[in-house]
Amino acid sequence: MCSRYLGFILLVWFPGALHAQSAALHCPAPSLVRGYFFPVKETYSHDSKLTYACRNTHKPAVQGWWAESVCQHGTWSHTPRCIEEQACIPPTIANAKYTEASEGWYEEGHIIRITCDKGYEHKDNIATAKCINGTWSSLPMCEISIKTCRAPPKIAHAVIVDQGYQELFPEDTEVKYECEDGYSIEGSHNYTLFCLAGTWTEGPMCSKWTICR
């Protein structure tokens, strides 16, 4: 009796749960002011693609005059939106960061300041860009600093410890070495190298233990 009752509950609950889950994966049609999109539907299923464009004096809030957005788990990969032609979309700058606009785009005349990642510096000392007529002026670039070190040196009979993989090491970075078993340096088993002005400091050599008789 109990098992039949439980089965009845599952039959009633599962369809409702599956319907709720399916509905949650759908995206509603966007409210696109000054633009149009296709295909035109009331809702879009998961992974559905929507293409849109904007009318005169406006453009999509992403690169290109035609834009595409994808329904992902009930949310569009980016909200379809039309902005003024004179506005700027966020620039892509490698190895740098800047303050992102809350609207997702920048009005004409807006100035952004770029901060380079550690180990990089501004090329030609240019750190700002201004939105002028829909494009960024003198967009900054970040290049590897001359004070940055590449991979630390390989030292015979020693290994680097407590250090994850990375390609660049900013100035003042410390890298710890440890001698292999059976080797040491003047009574110690580990030592540290430093990145100074683009060059690694020299370290001691790991020597094989000697047994006095």
Side-chain angles (χ1 to χ4, degrees), residues 21-83:
Q21 183 180 22
S22 176
L25 295 178
H26 284 66
C27 294
S31 176
L32 189 61
V33 180
R34 301 186 182 87
Y36 51 94
F37 57 88
F38 63 88
V40 178
K41 301 180 181 180
E42 291 185 0
T43 59
Y44 298 79
S45 59
H46 177 68
D47 276 342
S48 292
K49 295 181 180 179
L50 178 148
T51 302
Y52 72 97
C54 301
R55 306 189 190 283
N56 293 338
T57 72
H58 284 74
K59 63 183 180 181
V62 294
Q63 190 67 42
W65 291 106
W66 287 94
E68 184 179 86
S69 188
V70 182
C71 177
Q72 295 288 325
H73 303 290
T75 303
W76 292 107
S77 56
H78 78 270
T79 302
R81 180 178 298 177
C82 292
I83 62 177

